[in-house]
Amino acid sequence: MQGFELAYDYFDPEAELLREALTSTGNGYFCTRGTAEWEDPGPSHYPGTYAHGGYNRETTIFDGRPVLNEDLVNLPNWLVLKLRIEDGPAVGFDEIDLLDYKHVYDIRLAMVRREMRFLDRAGRETTLRSRRFVSMAHSHQAGIEWTIVPENWSGRVEIVTALDGRMTNHIVARYRELEGRHLDPVSPRTFGPETIALEVQTRQSHLYIAEAARTRVFPDGDRRPADVERSLHQMQDYIQQILAFDVEQGRPVRVEKMVSLFTSHDNAITEPLAAAGRHVLRYPDFAEALAEHEAAWTELWDGCDVRLPREERAQLLLRLHIAHVLQVCSRHTARHDAGVPARGLNGEAYRGHVFWDELYVYPFLNLRLPEITRALLLYRYRRLTEARAAAAEAGYQGAMFPWQSGSDGTEETQSVHLNPLSGKWDPDLSRNQRHVNAAIFYNVWRYYQATADLEFLRDYGAELMLEIARFWASIAHYNPRRERYEIHGVMGPDEFHEKYPGAPEPGLRNNAYTNAMVAWITATIPQVLDLLPAGRAAWLRDRLNVTDEELRLWEDMSRRMYIPFHDGVISQFEGYADLEELDWDHYRTKYGNIQRMDRILKAEGEDPNRYKVSKQADAVMLFFLFGDDELRELFERLGYGYDADLARRTIDYYDRRTSHGSTLSFVTYAGVLAPLDPQSAWERFMVALESDVGDVQGGTTKEGIHMGVMSGTLDLLQRGFLGTDVTGDVLRLNPRLLDRLEGAAFSMRFRGTSLRVHLEDGELKVLAQAEGFRGPLRVGVGDDVRTLGPGETCVFPLPAQAAPVRR
Ligand code: BGC
């Protein structure tokens, strides 16, 4: 990987699926894996195209039991482009000898390129260069360009260009026993001589998806397309054209396939097939479309790039992560009813569901493209009715959002999950992670803090927050013996602990993270109500019937939630202290990688619930989400001590008992260690940065990138190392690891004003852009808080930092 490129210089069938995921191209509306255009689905190739909201439900009869699942559907494959030389077979990796090969993800343009020189079975040497993008300028547009050079031969070639609706969902091995067919054919069509189109529909959700492709051939240097022989073949769920023409030795020929994709969720169309056809006919040729795409990305980089000149590797990976985050969540996303699928739009792991991971995604967006966060939060707001129904059904009040969310906001978490180590289906109790509700509340508040978008709070946010607070009040109960409120039957983020060992009922008592979040939520509600115009607050309270008594109860909860402690640390949940210690050395020696300790233990007939072993940060999340001052206030309000060392002790305790079975955990630990042990934080930050490119979990990334980790690393740089924090109306910066950050430059947007932040020679410079300035703008380092006018720069001297960085 160099510069702005993730590049592979040899073909490796074993690694190809991973590379496809990492070289996906998308625009926040749809995303397509980096599969070679000429390859059909097979053990090393998996063409996958996904669009936000493209879900479908299917039932599998499993051991006689119906199992219902909702999946983000693999849409028709628009990539298909094959080369046949004379009467030879279509060129594919199995049919040729590669002389040169390069597979590149151009990070700056989110474009995938392949360049290869090969010998075919007849000894002909050919160069084929492919470039493709999914347009950031026009959300429905994508383009492929091939350049073919016959190096030592002349003759006739055929290009097969197709749209293939016969796709199924089957990249995730664990799900293969479950139904993977989601598409039904509707119809193929042509729009004039150059354009093929295909419409399909999802089998249950009746989403129509249409694609159209215009394929042209351009002889060397010619801007006008050549007149080539075309033949058509169409089936209900597949359509192809074959373009036949002569090529001459040494003379490059270009093939362009411009594609449009629409679904029946789109605005401003009559129906997808007509829209796809109309649009593709108007698309410019590849070069012009690419220029528009490039201009759109240039603008995005202007607001989102981070520069870290001293740290080459981190720099590159951060940019890779920025590109991937924006491929999944862009301004185009904001125009749709879209949430943040935990694994992006480039694989099928977790079925494209939306979890609490958005918590890790928004901090980066909030301070750059907050309009995207706003739209993604609306995904939750639109599902409030369903969340209310879920709460009522479970005997609670308010809104209970699902652990896994898809199309309509009902609970999508499976009830059984396949353990690939044992081959057995284990019950899946993870839906008891009610903390997702706390995350949604937190996300709304942090969005508001970054933007001061009172309209959002007034029209949507406050209602979400009130209903979530109400849910927590109803799931909590008062324990008169302790004189505290308790929550039973839930799980924290650590998915290894689903219940007490041997207990028949699921869930745990008093997960500290959950209870502390509830204390914070109930303490925050009055601030939310105070912010609203008085009339609106009264109207909302009236409409939701929020009584004075309820407000008093919440106030009381904010002072009396129960938090368990043991040995001077926060207990992950009540009774954690009684669990057995795990023989970590034994398992490390036996298995090497013990990240998925739950699967190892279960395969050995053991129950992870028995042990002090966490999959990921749980109690420690508190130190990740809140600053020291906020936590001190929270704990003191609860009447618990908050000594200066509580964070250090608690983090250290769980660090030794966490297997990091979710890569989110690396992000969290890096974040909490940043103020305590910046060097160790940096090391973990690097692990998180490398986790997807290096596929540290051995096979998960090919099923989709980890959105939370990719954006979490960007948040780490911003919050952990640059020390960005919003308190009141002040944007505070408190940089650490100055020698690693030397020369660092960032763009940010705080409450409407664009900022440039630059760290150099022991000084931090902040420039408030004049264009679009919305003041007053207050920025601070430590106690030094300044007010900036449009176009003004302020320079903060940074205190010298004691500990030199170990290299
Ligand atoms: C993690 C969860 C996360 C989910 C989706 C799981 O492995 O434990 O915290 O929400 O993956 O990314």
Side-chain angles (χ1 to χ4, degrees), residues 381 388 457-460 462-463 466 470 529 532-547:
Y381 182 79
R388 284 189 182 112
L457 205 61
R458 185 193 64 197
D459 296 344
Y460 312 105
E463 187 175 347
L466 287 166
R470 176 174 265 169
L529 289 174
L532 301 183
R536 177 69 189 183
W539 179 84
L540 200 57
R541 277 191 55 188
D542 190 46
R543 187 160 78 77
L544 302 179
N545 195 19
V546 178
T547 61

Side-chain angles (χ1 to χ4, degrees), residues 342-343 350 355-357 403 433 435 493 495 596 615-616 661-662 664 706:
R343 304 297 286 279
Y350 285 124
F355 292 64
W356 74 314
D357 304 44
W403 172 239
Q433 289 182 74
H435 65 87
E495 299 189 325
R596 289 311 301 260
K615 178 180 184 186
Q616 65 202 90
S662 161
L664 289 174
H706 295 77

Side-chain angles (χ1 to χ4, degrees), residues 161-345:
T161 173
L163 299 168
D164 190 349
R166 301 166 303 174
M167 309 312 286
T168 59
N169 278 45
H170 67 267
I171 190 172
V172 182
R174 305 183 288 293
Y175 303 163
R176 272 187 211 140
E177 289 181 44
L178 300 164
E179 184 58 80
R181 288 170 304 161
H182 295 283
L183 296 177
D184 271 341
V186 177
S187 92
R189 246 198 87 166
T190 55
F191 288 84
E194 296 175 332
T195 301
I196 53 173
L198 182 75
E199 187 166 43
V200 297
Q201 69 169 309
T202 52
R203 282 155 49 115
Q204 167 273 338
S205 57
H206 303 304
L207 174 72
Y208 288 85
I209 303 109
E211 293 172 358
R214 187 192 73 204
T215 313
R216 290 174 172 166
V217 178
F218 297 83
D220 190 16
D222 212 332
R223 293 182 67 98
R224 272 170 322 170
D227 207 6
V228 296
E229 185 189 319
R230 290 171 189 262
S231 59
L232 179 73
H233 179 76
Q234 50 185 321
M235 304 173 328
Q236 277 297 88
D237 48 11
Y238 177 89
I239 181 165
Q240 73 170 34
Q241 260 189 346
I242 297 180
L243 282 58
F245 50 95
D246 293 327
V247 291
E248 269 178 57
Q249 179 175 350
R251 297 207 54 190
V253 173
R254 288 187 316 101
V255 178
E256 290 188 8
K257 181 175 184 180
M258 294 303 296
V259 172
S260 63
L261 184 153
F262 283 80
T263 80
S264 47
H265 283 164
D266 289 325
N267 299 323
I269 60 166
T270 164
E271 61 88 26
L273 186 58
R278 281 163 84 91
H279 280 251
V280 86
L281 290 176
R282 294 184 194 135
Y283 286 166
D285 287 330
F286 184 89
E288 194 181 328
L290 178 61
E292 290 182 87
H293 168 72
E294 179 168 359
W297 270 101
T298 303
E299 201 226 333
L300 279 177
W301 283 112
D302 188 49
C304 296
D305 196 14
V306 297
R307 263 187 280 142
L308 211 56
R310 280 270 186 101
E311 300 290 337
E312 211 180 313
R313 180 77 184 160
Q315 167 74 85
L316 205 62
L317 293 169
L318 286 165
R319 282 182 170 153
L320 177 75
H321 289 187
I322 293 170
H324 274 292
V325 169
L326 296 175
Q327 275 189 191
V328 176
C329 298
S330 75
R331 293 194 178 104
H332 299 302
T333 320
R335 286 194 281 272
H336 293 269
D337 174 33
V340 185
R343 304 297 286 279
L345 291 176

Side-chain angles (χ1 to χ4, degrees), residues 10 77 84 131 174 224 253 258 288 428 477 523 540 717 730 754 770 791:
Y10 62 99
N77 182 17
R84 207 176 291 136
R131 301 195 286 171
R174 305 183 288 293
R224 272 170 322 170
V253 173
M258 294 303 296
E288 194 181 328
D428 185 340
H477 67 271
L540 200 57
L717 188 65
V730 183
S754 298

Side-chain angles (χ1 to χ4, degrees), residues 1 6 8 18 22 107 306 308 310-325 364 662-668 670-671 680-697 701 705-718 721 737 740-741:
M1 196 163 172
L6 171 66
Y8 304 101
L18 168 65
L22 292 167
I107 294 171
V306 297
L308 211 56
R310 280 270 186 101
E311 300 290 337
E312 211 180 313
R313 180 77 184 160
Q315 167 74 85
L316 205 62
L317 293 169
L318 286 165
R319 282 182 170 153
L320 177 75
H321 289 187
I322 293 170
H324 274 292
V325 169
F364 177 74
S662 161
T663 43
L664 289 174
S665 196
F666 297 126
V667 173
T668 313
S680 165
W682 184 271
E683 281 156 19
R684 290 153 198 258
F685 164 65
M686 288 307 299
V687 174
L689 270 178
E690 298 279 1
S691 63
D692 266 337
V693 271
D695 192 21
V696 292
Q697 289 183 315
T701 301
I705 52 109
H706 295 77
M707 274 297 281
V709 176
M710 286 204 167
S711 28
T713 54
L714 301 166
D715 179 32
L716 277 178
L717 188 65
Q718 160 177 300
F721 300 120
L737 288 181
R740 289 199 189 275
L741 261 51

